[in-house]
Amino acid sequence: MADDLPANARPSGSTTDVPSWSIDFGNGFYIEILKDHKGRVYYRSCMPGGSICRYSNDLWRAKTYLYQMMNP
């Protein structure tokens, strides 16, 4: 889990790599598990390369967002 990453932070290296602290859903889609400055967990569902991401407070919603992005 990545602590205190800025909202616009992107890992260095290839833009198609999935961050090591995230849940890989294949084909470059992933959900990042993050913490805010108060220690609360939140999720960021992202398309390949982090080109489009959506934020949520629960994993169920994060998966829903991700599946919507995978199947437009």
Side-chain angles (χ1 to χ4, degrees):
M1 188 175 326
D3 291 328
D4 299 324
L5 273 178
N8 62 351
R10 294 287 175 252
S12 60
S14 172
T15 58
T16 59
D17 288 344
V18 174
S20 62
W21 60 85
S22 63
I23 303 168
D24 187 352
F25 282 80
N27 296 325
F29 290 90
Y30 59 93
I31 296 176
E32 291 181 87
I33 304 168
L34 306 168
K35 283 187 180 180
D36 65 12
H37 64 283
K38 293 184 178 181
R40 295 177 294 206
V41 174
Y42 65 101
Y43 304 91
R44 179 166 52 192
S45 305
C46 296
M47 293 183 78
S51 59
I52 298 175
C53 297
R54 297 207 49 194
Y55 294 84
S56 59
N57 291 325
D58 63 77
L59 185 57
W60 178 85
R61 174 81 54 200
K63 286 181 181 179
T64 301
Y65 288 154
L66 193 69
Y67 293 141
Q68 288 173 349
M69 287 188 256
M70 293 171 87
N71 299 308

